Every structure is written in C-alpha cells, then in structure tokens.
Amino acid sequence: MSTDLIYATTAVVLIGLGLYTVLIRRHLVRKLMAVNILGSGVFVLFIALASSGEGDADPVPQAMVLTGIVVAVSATALGLVLIRRIDEADLKNAELAGEER
Amino acid sequence: MIIAFDLILALTLVWVAYEAVSRPDLFQAVVLFITFGVLVSLVWIRLRAFDLALVEVAIGAGITGALFLNTLGQLSGEDEMVNLDGGC
Amino acid sequence: MSGFPWASAVVLIPLMGGIVCGVVPLRRAAIVGLTTAVATVAATSGLGWRVWHHGSVSESPGGWGAPLGIDLVVDGMAALLVLTTAVVGFAISLFSVSYYAPSQTAEEEQETHHQGFFWSLWLVVWAALNGVFISSDLFNLYVCLEVISLSSVALVGLTGTLALRAAMRYLLVTLCGSLLYLIGVALLYGGWGVLDVQMLASAVDQSMASQVALVAMTLGLALKTALVPLHFWLPAAHANAPAPVSAALSGLVIKASFIVLLRLWSDVFGALDKSILAAALTVLAMTAIIWGSVQALRQTRLKMLIAYSTVAQVGYLFVAFAPDITAQTDPVALQGALVFVAAHACAKAAMFLAAGALAISFGDDCFSSMNGQHIRLIAPFIIFILAGYTLIGLPYSGGGEAKYLLSSAVESAGLPVVGWAMTAGKILATLYVLKVLYHIALPTPEASESIELRRITVGMIAAGLLLSVVAVGLGPASAHLLQLLEASIGTALAAPHSALR
C-alpha cells in the first residue's frame, strides 16, 4: 500500500463526507464548512493521482490546486458575507415583528 | 514505518473532518476545521507538494479559519427556513 | 498566425471594462459599462467575421501552446456562442443603463449605489462566458466556470432578503457542481497527464477512471445547468435577482455549464460508451420538460413563471444527449441544441427584461397586481408575444427550428417517446405564455382601480424588442447558423453533414 493510494482513499472519504454534510445539515455555516472539506478532498485527490510515486512531484497539478485553493477562499469569503447579511436581515425582521406585537 | 504515519494521519484527518461538521457547538466546529486545514498541509508535505503546504497553512487554515471565527462572533442565532418563492 | 487577436480580445475587453467599472465613480460606471459592451460587440463581430470567412481561429496567448499554455480555439460552435452572448449581453447592458439610472427617492438611492458593483460583476461574467466558449483546456474551463459562479452569486445577492438566501443556496450548489467537475479533471489528469480537449479526445479509453470522470463531470455540470431534479436552486435565484441579472443567469450563465458538458460528451468522451448515462439524462430531460412547464403554469409571480419555464427548457437542451443511447453522437442533435441555446438565450432574456419593465410600472411582478388597461403596456406585450412564439417553438422561429432539429434527431435515433414529451411541452408552454399575455392585457379584479404607472424608458423597451426579434429571426436565418457551425475542427459536428440542409 503506497502513500499516494492512502491519501487518494482519504480524499474519496472526504469528498463523500463533504457532499453528505452539505445535503443534510441545515446551518449555513456548517454547509459552507462542508463545501470546504469537499474541496480539500478534491485537491488531495488531484495531487495524489498525479504523483508518480518517485522523483520530483509534477508542478502542473500543484499550480492548479493553488488556483483552486484561492478560488475556494474567495468563495468562502463571499459565502460568509452572505450569511452575515442574511443574519442581519433576520434580526431586523424579528425586531419589526416584535414592534408590531 | 512511514506508511504507519500515513495511515494515522489519514484516519485523524477523516475523524477531524467528521467532528468538524457534526459537533453541535459551532465554535468547537470551527476550531476543528482549522485543525483540519493544518492536517491537510501535512498531507501536502507527504505528497511532496511543499508550496501547497505553505499555502494551505496560510490560506486554508489561517485566512479561512479567521473568516469563520470572525463571522461566528457576529451571528445572532439559529437561522430559520424561509420560503423563497416570495409572497403574492 | 498573424492579424488581430480577436479571440483574446473578446475575453480581455469585458474583463478590463469590469475592472475599470470597479474603480471609477459610481455615476461613470454606466458610461464605462455601455462603452465596454459596444467594444465587446465590435470585437465579437470581428471574430465572427473571421470564422465565417476563414474557418476556425486558434490563438495561444503569451506565445505558449498546449500542453504548457492555454489555447483559445474558436470553431463555428464557439463563434455562434460568443455572438449570441454579444447580442444578449448588449441588450442587458442597454437595459441596465436605465434600470440602474440615478433616481430621486431615498429608497431607490441604494439601487443606484449598487450599480457600480453591477457593472463590474456583469462585465466579468461576460468575459468569463466568452472564456468558457473558446477555451480548450479543462482546467481553464474550471477557472472560468468558477469566475462565472462567484460573480453570479454576488449579482443575485445585490438585493433583498429573499435574494440573499437564494444567493447562498445558489453558491453552495454551484460550488459543489464545480468541485464534482474538478474530480473529473483530477481523474483525467491522473490518467493521461494532459488537459487539452483535443489531446484527451484521442487518449481517453474505456477504463474505470474515465467512466468515473464522465459520471462526476456530468453530475456536476447537470447540477450547474439545473437539470431536474437538480433544479431546486434555480427558480428562487433567477426570480429574486434584479431583472438584468435574471436575464443574464437564465439566458447565458446556465448555458455555459451545458456547453462544457456538450463538449465533453462529443469530444473528450466521444469514444466512450455512454448509453446508460444517456438514457438516464433522457428520462430526466423528459421529466424536466413536463414538470417544469406544469410548475410554470402554477406560479402566481411573473418572474417565478419565467424561471420555471427555464427549468422546462433546460430539459430540451438535454434531449441532445438522447441519441447517445444508441452509442452514437448525432450531429443533428448537437446542431439542434446549439440553435436552441441561441434562441432560448435571446427569448428568455427578452422575457426577463420585459418582466423587469412590468415590475417597475406595477411595483412588483405578482399577477394579481397587474392591470392591463394601459397603452404603455403595449411594448412589453409585444415582447412577450414574440419571445413566447419562439419559446413555444412555433414554426419559422429560432426555437421552432431548434426543436425541429432535436425532434428529427430523436426520431432517427428511434426514440419517439422523447418526441411526444416535447410535443406535450409545447402545449404546456403555449398555455403558460397565454397566461402571461392574459394578465398583461386584461384588468384583474383585485387591481381594478387605475394605478399610476411608472415610466418604462425607451432603452428598456429597445433592449427587449431587439432580443425578441432576434429570437424569432434566428428561424429564417438558421441555414446560416448551421453553415457557421460547420466551421468546426475536431468536433463531431464536422463529420457528416446535416441531412436537413
């Protein structure tokens, strides 16, 4: 059993876990976390599959995963901004409902 | 020997990921999520992707974790399900 | 290859314009945006002219060719898509100038504030759409798709609480879709060490890795294209966004992921046996056509109706994969799907723009608040008649021509049942288009007292009319479209000629 194979398997488990969680969990923060775990799984899979097992690692997939990580962070930041604004809007609605009562 | 390390790291990674998405307390979940990022950077080292290990610690665990923690501090409570069709 | 780099220009011009819109003062954003739109249309026309007269264009920006660099390849298919994007994009830009025009009331002041964001994000989406259509590298496609996704989510989230939640759901779904696609990229790169579409097409075999890659990529892209039952995120996101954003999302953005899927099936996985997956997609396509149309008919809000109509029309797109059940990609089905993409992009964008104009005059887009006794509504009424005509797929329109190609493709593949579903979809579409026309034209009891209609500007009407006329006009012009599509290299389209011409 080789290192690449171990991590490729781990990546598959992480992908499954991420997809499952994003489907069943209701809290938005947790869904966003699950997407991040899904992403990490895909990135690990990418590198583990591309590596030949000996010698220097292939730089091309590393550059791609680097891009992928940056995209993931941007997406997470966007998601968190949305979550905050949803929360603010909910709070405002709750206050309005309280005043009406 | 090194295979044993790989196996332990792999199992820990899966366990931490599972805990991060299933802990009831959101703060603990975020801390576990940051731990997950650090562990992923160890995986990058094992896969000889050293640049990625650095990036993962700085961005994956660092910035993402900080963003999550920051948001958590601002949130008021549970979110509720809303019908998105809009009322008429 | 010498001459002006048209292919790079159609990506770089809107990208630059988007960046400039982000830094100029808010009042200038519309001017810069519209100028960029015109420049992009000019560059796209140049590119289209080139492909029409000299065949497909290929460029390697930065002087690096595949496999190291990124090749831009513009064949007939890509040319048709960037031209469609240019027409729809120009109309959306024209509409947005008046939609986001500075206004006096404090409530709308915030809308004005959003216009800087709108122009940057929208032009970046335009650039990335063109990037998707002309890239021939799987990873570059991933990056462009992600840029489209993130910008679209931000565009949806520009307004209201409902839109915020819809945007969040859209973000989660579209990220999952992109990552599923990336799993396929990882498997293909792990297997063959290249990501260029043409290089992979000659390498991919029947192995387990390519099968899994095919399934993961198809699932991810079907999710992003909102094929039933993966459509749950679309109606809320498309209906609650501002009107020009809805038009861009329904008209163009979902087409990007579909086109990637079409390219994958006909090129990268061309040699693979896809019969089981094709059968599954065909069943889902038929379900989408029927179920989406029924849902559209049941809606009480105009924009929700149009959004569910998109769910139904996505079904027609996936009919293109039906001939794969018999293990052969049919060029007629591909031609049908591409003409359909062009016709639906124009018709659906026209409808959303007209709906936006109606929502401005009535205050919201509920059918119950519409009151037809007004001469100013004649223009939206005409737009809905023309766009509805092609959306239903009546003869001599773009949509009609596309549906004719698709139905003859499924017929020759021996799948009459798909044809029946398409006919049922046409009847249901007629009903929901009539429902819209009825509500625009006739006074409803709830809103019987005459209300002060707010002004709909000439720019808004012109944008909608332009799109609906083009959507119908694609029918008579379809022979030219098919001729343009033949300027293809390497794709299945280039092989046998259409028997219909």
Side-chain angles (χ1 to χ4, degrees), chain C residues 185-459:
Chain C
V185 178
L187 286 166
L188 291 176
Y189 190 84
W192 292 278
V194 285
L195 289 174
D196 184 77
V197 171
Q198 301 308 327
M199 292 183 183
L200 276 172
S202 51
V204 166
D205 54 19
Q206 301 283 346
S207 69
M208 183 71 185
S210 36
Q211 299 277 3
V212 177
L214 172 68
V215 172
M217 291 169 121
T218 304
L219 190 63
L221 293 169
L223 185 63
K224 286 170 89 83
T225 317
L227 175 66
V228 166
L230 305 172
H231 71 287
F232 55 93
W233 56 271
L234 183 142
H238 287 198
N240 291 321
V245 176
S246 306
L249 291 181
S250 251
L252 300 170
V253 167
I254 55 164
K255 271 40 167 233
S257 45
F258 174 75
I259 290 300
V260 175
L261 190 58
L262 203 64
R263 289 245 187 218
L264 288 177
W265 274 56
S266 64
D267 291 353
V268 174
F269 298 110
L272 211 60
D273 176 25
K274 307 179 281 288
S275 50
I276 299 170
L277 203 54
L281 287 183
T282 308
V283 171
L284 294 179
M286 291 192 292
T287 317
I289 292 172
I290 305 291
W291 195 82
S293 305
V294 171
Q295 287 297 315
L297 208 47
R298 291 182 54 217
Q299 297 306 310
T300 54
R301 268 179 63 195
L302 176 56
K303 283 178 80 180
M304 279 307 264
L305 184 151
I306 306 174
Y308 269 107
S309 152
T310 300
V311 172
Q313 303 295 315
V314 164
Y316 286 97
L317 290 177
F318 278 85
V319 166
F321 297 121
D324 268 300
I325 296 175
T326 49
Q328 53 177 10
T329 310
D330 187 347
V332 179
L334 286 181
Q335 290 169 340
L338 290 167
V339 177
F340 191 93
V341 164
H344 181 256
C346 296
K348 193 45 66 74
M351 284 190 164
F352 265 122
L353 295 184
L358 287 174
I360 286 179
S361 45
F362 290 119
D364 61 38
D365 66 328
C366 294
F367 286 127
S368 56
S369 52
M370 286 185 185
N371 182 356
Q373 288 173 318
H374 211 290
I375 190 70
R376 278 196 194 136
L377 297 180
I378 192 77
F381 189 71
I382 292 171
I383 294 172
F384 266 104
I385 288 180
L386 291 173
Y389 187 84
T390 185
L391 191 84
I392 297 167
L394 294 173
Y396 308 113
S397 68
E401 191 64 32
K403 282 175 186 172
Y404 175 66
L405 289 168
L406 284 172
S407 60
S408 47
V410 292
E411 210 148 288
S412 63
L415 298 160
V417 63
V418 184
W420 302 337
M422 288 171 70
T423 309
K426 271 190 183 181
I427 295 168
L428 288 165
T430 312
L431 291 176
Y432 66 67
V433 169
L434 285 178
K435 178 177 175 174
V436 174
L437 293 178
Y438 169 82
H439 281 291
I440 299 176
L442 293 177
T444 40
E446 292 102 295
S448 51
E449 77 266 35
S450 74
I451 42 172
E452 191 57 43
L453 287 185
R454 273 196 276 173
R455 247 176 73 94
I456 304 172
T457 63
V458 178

Side-chain angles (χ1 to χ4, degrees), chain B residues 1-31:
Chain B
M1 178 56 207
I2 199 75
I3 290 293
F5 175 81
D6 287 336
L7 279 174
I8 292 169
L9 178 56
L11 289 175
T12 318
L13 193 66
V14 171
W15 180 77
V16 169
Y18 176 76
E19 285 292 312
V21 293
S22 51
R23 279 278 168 101
D25 184 78
L26 265 184
F27 179 75
Q28 289 182 6
V30 170
V31 172

Side-chain angles (χ1 to χ4, degrees), chain B residues 38-77:
Chain B
V38 175
L39 290 176
V40 172
S41 77
L42 287 181
V43 173
W44 293 138
I45 293 176
R46 287 294 301 129
L47 291 171
R48 301 189 313 284
F50 303 106
D51 304 354
L52 288 181
L54 278 176
V55 171
E56 186 74 42
V57 171
I59 297 181
I63 296 182
T64 312
L67 287 173
F68 266 110
L69 281 178
N70 189 281
T71 305
L72 224 51
Q74 307 241 332
L75 291 188
S76 58

Side-chain angles (χ1 to χ4, degrees), chain C residues 101-110 112:
Chain C
S103 55
Q104 287 78 30
T105 58
E107 186 190 337
E108 282 164 11
E109 196 59 36
Q110 212 184 351
T112 314

Side-chain angles (χ1 to χ4, degrees), chain B residues 79-88, chain C residues 162 165-166 169 236 240 300-301 304 366:
Chain B
D79 54 32
E80 57 218 69
M81 295 300 280
V82 175
N83 178 17
L84 297 182
D85 292 357
C88 266
Chain C
L162 283 175
R165 285 188 176 270
R169 195 192 277 174
N240 291 321
T300 54
R301 268 179 63 195
M304 279 307 264
C366 294

